[in-house]
Amino acid sequence: MSRPLFRPDSRSTPPNDELYNIIPTHNLHTDHPCLRYPQVRTVLSSLQAVGDLQKPPFCPWLPSMDLLDWLGLFFGFQRDNVKNQREHLVLHLANAHMSLSHPPASKGTFQNTVLREFRSKLLENYTNWCSYLEQASNVCNSDSSSFDSDITRRELLYVGLYLLIWGESANLRFMPECICYIFHHMAMELNKILEDYIDEETGQPWIPRTAGENAFLNRVVKPIYDTINIEVARSKNGTAPHNKWRNYDDFNEYFWSKKCFQNLKWPLDFNSDFTNGRKIGFAEQRTFWNVFRSFDRLWMMLFLFLHVMVILAWEEKKLPWQALDNQDVKVRVLSLFITWSGMRFLHSLLEAAMEFSRVSREMSGLVLRMVLKILVAATWTCLFVVCYRRIWEQRNNEEHWSREANQRVIFYLRLAFLYGLPELVKLVFFFLPSFTLNCKVLYPISWWFHGDCFIGQGMKEEVVDIIKYILFWVVVLGTKFTFSYFFQIKPMISTTEQLYSKITECEWDLKAIFSVSNKFIIGLLWLPVVLIYLVDTQIWYSIYSPFVGAAIGLLKQLGEIRNIEQLSLRFRFFASAIQFNLMLQEETKFTCRTLREKFNEAIHQLKLRCGLGQPFKMVELESNQVKASKFALIWNEIITTFREEEDIISDDEVELLQLSPNSWEIRVIRWPCFLLGNELLRALVLATDLFDAPDNWLWYKICKNEYRRCAVIETYDSVKYLMIHVLIKRNTEEHSILKVLFQEIDRSTETGKFTRTFRTAALIQVHSKLIKLLVLLLEPNKNVNEIAYAVQVLYEIVVHPLFKEKRTTYQLMEDGLAPTSQTAMAGSLFENAVELLDHGNKNFCMQVKRLHTILITRDSMQGIPGNNEARRRLAFFSNSLFMKMPRAPQVEKMIAFSVLTPFNDEDVLYSKEALQTKNEDGISILYYLQTIYDDEWKNFIQRMGREGMETADEIWTTKL
C-alpha cells in the first residue's frame, strides 16, 4: 500500500490563545466557567490517557495529543474537525455525568457507566442496521461489570471515531445508513490497530485505508458527494421525472441491502453500481391509479360495505339484520369475497405496474413478491367465483337448500376463513411491539405484508393509542354506514326495482333500440348516490373531530386561555401554577406522602387547573407570606424580552404589564395595572351606593373580585406610605397628625365601624384631590408650595367632609388631628413639612406613576397589549402553566441539546441600500415593514429615543 503523506508541522502544540467554540480544551489552566466543573476535567483527563497505543507511524506524536488526535492522525481527519468533535464529546459526556441523580461512590465506575450508555445511544442506529443486514457489529462490547483503562479507552475511541466521521460527512449526514457503512469498516480497521494486526501484504502493522492528511475527505466524502452531484445535474433542477434520477433517500436505500458489501466494498469501489445504478427504492409513477393504490384499504372497505348494504336493502326490511333470516340473502352476502379478492387482484396488478421500473437482477426479492401476489390474488378470485357459482347451481337444480348445497356453502366459508386468515395475522401484528416483527421466524410474514425495508423498523404506536384510534374510527364509520344505509341506499331500492322490472317487459322494436335504456337510467340515478357515499367520510370526520379534539384539549389543559380577558380571569392563579411545570423536581417534592394527603393534593391541583376555589395552599397569595417573586421574575423577563429585543410592546405597555416588586409596605400582591383596570372606581361606586351598609357586607361585595380587593388595599397602603414615610418630614407636627389620622382609619376598619365613622360619599372628593396631588408629584419641575397646598386641601376634605361626626377645632386638637399652636392654624399647615425626593429616584417615580394609573383608569384595559403577536405569546405561555407535562429538571441534569440547522438561501440581515431600494412598483422593503408592522416600528423608534436618539434620521447615521 502507498505511504501516507503528512506535513511535518500539521499537528503542532496548540498555543494557549488558540480559538475554541465553547470549552478551551487545549488549556486546562485558563479561568473558564466550564472548566470549573469536575466532570469536564474528568472527561478531558480520560481523553489524555493514550497509554501504550500504537503511535501513528508517519507523523510526529506530541505529548499534548489525546485520543481524538490519535484517531485523526491514523484515519486522516481534518485538524479542525478533531477540535470540534473533541468539544462535542466533552460536552456530551460531562452533561451525561451531571444528569445522574445518584452517582456511584467510585468515580471510575461513574465515568465508564455514563460512557457505555452514551455509546449505546450514539450507535443505536448502527446496531439496528447491523442486525437488519445480519452483519456482526465491529464494536466490541465488554460484558464485565468492572472497568479498566483499556475498556474505557476503547469505548472513547468508538464514540470519537463515529463523531469524527459525522463531523466531516457534511451532506452525507442525510444518508445515515451510508455513515453506518463507513463506520462499520473504519471500526473494523480500528480493531485491527488495537489488536496489533499485521498486514499480510506489507508485513507491517495495519494502517487504515484512509490514512494520510485529509484522506477521509478526499477518499470517502468527496467521491460520494461528487456522485450525488452528478445525479443532481441529471434532475435538471427538479424538472426531470422522479424515476430518472436519484436523491439522498435513493442513495441511502442502497445501504439497506447486503449487496452493498459485495459491490461497493472497502476501500470504496466507485466503479460499482453505486455510481451508475438505478433506483432500488421508491420510484414515483404519476398516474390517476395512485389514488387507488395508495388508499386501497379505504376503497376496499367502502366497496365491500356498499356491496353488502345493497344486498340487505334489496329485501326492503325495516332493519338490515332482519334480511339475514333468509338463506338466499346470507349466501348473496358471501359474494363480497369475490369483490374483495377481485380488488386485491387489481391492486397487485397496479403495484407491479408502478414498481416495474425497479425490476433488476439485484431486486429478485421484489420480483418474486410481485409475481406471487398476482398469482395468489388471481387464484383466490377464480376459486371464489367457481365455488360461488357451484353453490347456486346446486340450489337452482334442487330448488331448495339441500344438504349438498349447504355442504358447498360450508366449503366456501372455509375458503373464506383461509383467505381472511392473513388479515387476522396482520391485525395481530398491528398490536404487537415492533421488535417482534424483526425476528427471523416472523420475517416471511412481515416481508409478504410490508416488503423489505429498513426505515421505520422501530416505529410503533402504543397499544392504548391504537385502541383510541380504533374506537374513534369505529364511531365515525359506524355513523357513516348507518346514515348511508337508511338515507342513501335504502330509498333507492324501490325505484331501482321498478325500473329493472320494466327492462324485461320492454318490446325490442326499432324504436326501443334508439331510446334511452332503463339500465342507463338506473346508472344515472345511482351515480350521484355512490359518489356522495364515497366522499362523505370526510364530512363525518369533520363533525366528530372537533368534539374529540375539544375533549382531548380539556383533559390535557390545552388552549384554555385564548384571549386577554380569559388571561385576566386566570392570572391570579399563575403564581401558584408555576409549581406544576416551571419549578424543579427537587423543589416540588412533598414531605408528606400518605394516601389521604396525596388525594387532597390532587383535588387542590384540579381546582387550581380549573380556576375553582382559592389558589393552591402551598403558595399563599399575600406577598408578605410567600415568595411570589419567582413568578414575577419569569413574567417580567418575558415582558422585558418583548420590549428590548423584539419591540412588540411599547414602554407604556411595559409599565402596565409588569409585576412590580414588593415595596412601600403593601400587604397584597401588586398585580399588573392592566388587570386592576377600573377596579378602584368600581369599589368607590360600591362604597357610595352602600353608604349605610355594614362593613362586612361592603367588604364582601368588594372582595368578590380579587383584583378589586387588591386595588383597594394597594391604594390605601401606597397613600399611607407616601404621606408618612416619603412626602412629609419626620419629627414634625404634620407628620404626627397624619400618623394619628391613619391610625384612626385603621382602627375603624379593624373594628368594623368604617361606614359608621366615615361618610363614604366623600371618598369621591378624596379620589379627585389625590389625583391632583399625584399629577404634581409626576411633574419634572416640582413646585413645593403647590404640593403643600394640595396636601392641605386633601387634609381638609378628610378631616371635615369624610368624618360623619363633626368635630370642633378644639376636639381635633385633643384627638391629635389638628396642630396645637394657633400660628400653625392661621397659616398653611403643610407649608414647611413637604420633603421632595430627588427627581432621579426611579423607584419613587415608578410607585407614584403606578398609583396614579390605578386611580385614573376608567376602562378594563382588555386591549393591552395591542400587538397581536404579543397577545398570542402571552396566551401560549399562560396555557403552558396549566398543561400536563413533565416537570423540568435542573439545567445541569437536562439532556444535551443538539440542533442541526440547514442553510437556506434566505436573507435575514438587510443593508441600508437593500432596505431603501424600491422595486418596480415603487415599494421598498423599509416602507413595507413600516406599513405592515407600524406598531413595532413606532416601538422601535421609541426605544431608540430612550437610548439617546433625537431624530429618526439618526438610525442611518449614528445608530447604523
Side-chain angles (χ1 to χ4, degrees), residues 15 20 79 148 313 375 430 433 486 741:
Y20 60 91
R79 184 170 182 268
D148 54 23
L375 294 177
F430 188 67
F486 287 101
L741 177 60

Side-chain angles (χ1 to χ4, degrees), residues 454-474:
F454 171 74
I455 198 68
Q457 292 285 309
M459 297 179 64
K460 194 69 176 179
E461 296 292 338
E462 297 292 337
V463 177
V464 177
D465 296 329
I466 294 175
I467 294 175
K468 293 178 181 178
Y469 174 83
I470 292 175
L471 290 177
F472 172 77
W473 280 108
V474 165

Side-chain angles (χ1 to χ4, degrees), residues 399-426:
E399 296 182 355
H400 69 281
W401 291 103
S402 62
R403 187 169 179 274
E404 180 64 25
N406 290 329
Q407 289 295 329
R408 293 186 179 185
V409 172
I410 294 174
F411 179 76
Y412 186 91
L413 290 175
R414 290 174 180 173
L415 285 179
F417 175 77
L418 292 177
Y419 179 77
L421 186 61
E423 298 298 328
L424 295 177
V425 175
K426 188 177 180 180

